[in-house]
Structures are given as structure tokens and as C-alpha cells.
Amino acid sequence: MTKPHPARRYDYWLGGKDNFQADRDAAEAIAAVFPHIRTAARENRAFMQRAVRFLAAEAGIRQFLDIGTGLPTANNVHDVAQGIAPESRIVYVDNDPLVLTHARALLTSSEQGATAYIDADVREPEKILRDPAVRDTLDWTKPVALLLVAVLHFVEDAEDPYGIVERLVSALPAGSYLVLSHATFDPLDPETIAAMNAVNENIKPRFSPRTLSEVSRFFDGLDLLEPGIVSVSDWRPEGDGPRPTPAEATGYGAVAATRR
């Protein structure tokens, strides 16, 4: 494959092997100007795992819709959720055929629960919501956790990211949650931002980091859980050891509850 894909680039940063030369070249171009990118990728994934753990163990959520799944690694959404509640049901959504191939082979459910995988893009909320696997795997009379983890910064403003999130959230049953993380340049110095923007000119889909105020808009009409919108490394951290700085994690993360 000659066209890099965000999921395969992310896999490379996490130390995976399911990527192509084009993905590695694009990943190294970013790492050359932002050496902390692997830390940022790890911290984003750890945020997702902590959020799912909280929702399954403390909020009683048993259904998860993960859009922009990425390539399977250790401790995926169903691993974490079903490790706490084996009856949990998960639908994975991604638009990379390689992701779906690996998902079907590796993301196997517990006997009590279920997993499903669909080929769709976050920019197609109606297609996702109408998909038979989504309708049949998840019970839409019960709460669902919607995961949009490190995916919306690949949706440009002209593609209406806020409208996409609003449509997806509006379809959630009462008692549901939104888990969202998003890249930001807020804590970076001007020189690093300029270098990142220069690299970004040659990467598709275009990378769209957003400010705190812009990320906050995704949570309009929802009730943010403590500690609100913070660096992904600072969202309910576990352990007492040192954590990466916001400039190293370069991403905001939050969990919010629906009001219906």
C-alpha cells in the first residue's frame, strides 16, 4: 500500500507490525519534529482503557460502540470491558480493510457477550447507526458508551465534526456516555507547531488538532464527569508514578453522560 492510514501509523507508534512502508515513513516524519509522539499514542490508549474500565466497573455500562477502532493490540475495548463484565457487547467500527481483517481474527468475544465489526467511516453516522450489526449487537433500549478516541482530529472543519458527534450522541439511549479524546497543539511551543504544520501539509487525511475551547464544543449538552476535559494522561490516572506532561501527551480526553 502506498497511501498511509492513521490506524496503521498509530499501530507503528505503539510498536505493532501491521503497517506498511508508507505508514512508517509518515510516522517517522511526524516523530522527527515531535519526538514524544509514541508517548502521546500510548497515553491516548491508556486513557481509553481507564475510561472503559470506569464505565464497566463503576457506571454499569455493558454496551460499547467504538468508532475509529484502530488495529488490535493488547487490552482492547472488549478485553477491558469483558474482563470486568463478560456479558458486555461491543461493536468496532473502522474504515481500513486491514483493521477489519485483523479485528475479525483477533477481537473475539467472551461466550457470554458479543463483538461485531463493521466497515464504515466516522463521517457516515447514518450508515453506522443503520448497520444491521450495530442494531442487532447492541440493545438500543439500554445505555451505550460511544467511543470517539483519537479519531475526530482526522475530520476537518468542513466535514462538520460537531454535527457528526451531535448526530451520534442524539441516537444514544438514556443513561449513555461519550468517551472522547482529541489531539491538540495547545501545550506546544511555536517552533514545534510550525514544524508539525509543515509535515501535516503532506499527510492525508489532514490532521486537525483543536484547542480546548474547540474540543469543549463536542460535549455541548452533556454532563462532564470529573475531572472534566484534561490531558489524556491526567484523566483519572492510576498509580503514583510520574506522568507525561500535557506537552508530551498532546491530547485532551474526557467522559460525559447524556442528560436523557
Side-chain angles (χ1 to χ4, degrees):
M1 295 208 178
T2 59
K3 182 179 179 181
H5 189 279
R8 299 193 301 267
R9 193 165 63 225
Y10 191 61
D11 172 74
Y12 176 73
W13 286 327
L14 289 173
K17 295 180 171 45
D18 297 311
N19 46 75
F20 300 103
Q21 191 61 49
D23 307 306
R24 295 188 285 275
D25 291 344
E28 286 297 339
I30 295 171
V33 299
F34 182 61
H36 299 297
I37 189 62
R38 289 176 175 83
T39 297
R42 289 193 298 268
E43 288 301 308
N44 181 77
R45 184 144 186 95
F47 158 75
M48 178 276 290
Q49 292 162 349
R50 294 195 304 274
V52 171
R53 194 173 300 122
F54 160 76
L55 290 173
E58 299 184 41
I61 297 297
R62 299 294 180 261
Q63 304 191 109
F64 299 83
L65 176 59
D66 181 10
I67 301 177
T69 299
L71 283 148
T73 61
N75 295 320
N76 301 285
V77 172
H78 79 282
D79 296 315
V80 177
Q82 293 182 346
I84 295 167
E87 70 274 22
S88 297
R89 307 175 73 83
I90 296 90
V91 175
Y92 292 107
V93 182
D94 208 287
N95 66 344
D96 180 14
L98 186 63
V99 169
L100 273 297
T101 298
H102 284 262
R104 291 188 177 96
L106 299 175
L107 302 181
T108 54
S109 173
S110 67
E111 291 184 5
Q112 301 96 317
T115 56
Y117 336 93
I118 70 169
D119 182 0
D121 192 296
V122 68
R123 299 169 184 82
E124 306 169 308
E126 297 298 338
K127 177 181 177 181
I128 294 170
L129 294 170
R130 290 196 307 264
D131 191 280
V134 173
R135 306 310 304 180
D136 295 344
T137 305
L138 304 178
D139 180 350
W140 289 84
T141 67
K142 297 179 180 178
V144 173
L146 169 65
L147 277 67
L148 295 170
V149 175
V151 65
L152 289 169
H153 45 241
F154 297 112
V155 181
E156 298 184 45
D157 288 343
E159 297 172 307
D160 192 19
Y162 299 106
I164 291 169
V165 174
E166 182 180 12
R167 175 66 189 100
L168 290 167
V169 169
S170 70
L172 297 176
S176 294
Y177 290 85
L178 170 65
V179 178
L180 187 150
S181 68
H182 198 294
T184 184
F185 284 171
D186 280 357
L188 300 182
D189 61 80
E191 293 77 12
T192 301
I193 293 173
M196 291 282 278
N197 284 332
V199 170
N200 193 28
E201 289 297 323
N202 300 314
I203 294 177
K204 300 295 181 182
R206 186 175 175 82
F207 182 64
S208 299
R210 293 186 169 94
T211 65
L212 177 59
S213 62
E214 290 170 331
V215 173
S216 298
R217 284 184 56 195
F218 289 117
F219 296 95
D220 285 353
L222 301 174
D223 292 325
L224 284 164
L225 277 59
E226 291 294 334
I229 304 171
V230 294
S231 172
V232 287
S233 60
D234 292 332
W235 195 89
R236 304 196 179 192
E238 298 169 349
D240 298 323
R243 298 193 301 277
T245 66
E248 293 169 333
T250 57
Y252 290 118
V255 178
T258 62
R259 294 176 179 172
R260 290 178 292 108

